[in-house]
Amino acid sequence: LSDIFQICLDEYSAYEDCPDPSVCDGGEPNSKNLLLAFGLTILAGLATAIGALIPFIPCIQRSDTKYLGAALGLAAGVMLYVSFTEIFDESKFHFCCVTRKHYDLLAASSFFVGIIVTVFLDALVKLLMKLDCG
């Protein structure tokens, strides 16, 4: 597989449409992108910490789980957003190395195919659990 990928890199070394041609050439990643990735990761971690601290605020009753659910939902949403946007951009860069046209369409379709596979696997697990448990 690496030989095929290397052939693609050698064949298509110059991309005008590619968002970051250094990825296709095997160059070093941009330090600005690296700092952005670490910054977004730190923000996601801080959102998790803030969400975890909300139950300890004295004015919120401990028996009311509505606030806890909202805080955990917010923290999970921020982490998912950061993860998906970083992975999606990275996949566009790598699809750009393989094909000059429609690399963004390939990345988006791969994302949605992944969602469909996940839903299918979830339904399969529920079916198997139902069969196993009676």
Side-chain angles (χ1 to χ4, degrees), residues 114-127:
I115 289 174
I116 292 168
V117 168
T118 303
V119 168
F120 173 73
L121 288 176
D122 184 49
L124 180 65
V125 167
K126 287 180 182 177
L127 176 70

Side-chain angles (χ1 to χ4, degrees), residues 42-57 60 62 64-79:
I42 289 171
L43 285 176
L46 287 175
T48 304
I50 291 169
L53 289 176
I54 286 181
F56 299 107
I57 297 174
I60 296 176
R62 296 199 192 278
D64 191 11
T65 58
K66 184 171 41 174
Y67 294 109
L68 178 61
L72 290 175
L74 175 69
V78 168
M79 287 189 294

Side-chain angles (χ1 to χ4, degrees), residues 9-119:
L9 288 179
D10 293 340
E11 197 171 307
Y12 302 108
S13 61
Y15 289 107
E16 299 85 25
D17 299 336
C18 189
D20 189 4
S22 67
V23 175
C24 300
D25 295 336
E28 290 297 317
N30 190 352
S31 63
K32 181 181 174 186
N33 290 340
L34 190 62
L35 289 175
L36 176 66
F38 277 116
L40 291 174
T41 304
I42 289 171
L43 285 176
L46 287 175
T48 304
I50 291 169
L53 289 176
I54 286 181
F56 299 107
I57 297 174
C59 64
I60 296 176
Q61 297 178 359
R62 296 199 192 278
S63 63
D64 191 11
T65 58
K66 184 171 41 174
Y67 294 109
L68 178 61
L72 290 175
L74 175 69
V78 168
M79 287 189 294
L80 284 173
Y81 174 75
V82 169
S83 299
F84 283 145
T85 55
E86 286 298 314
I87 291 171
F88 187 72
D89 286 343
E90 189 71 23
S91 71
K92 284 197 315 189
F93 291 153
H94 288 286
F95 275 124
C96 180
C97 294
V98 176
T99 179
R100 204 179 277 200
K101 297 178 182 177
H102 309 299
Y103 59 89
D104 49 353
L105 180 65
L106 282 172
S109 60
S110 297
F111 175 75
F112 288 113
V113 166
I115 289 174
I116 292 168
V117 168
T118 303
V119 168

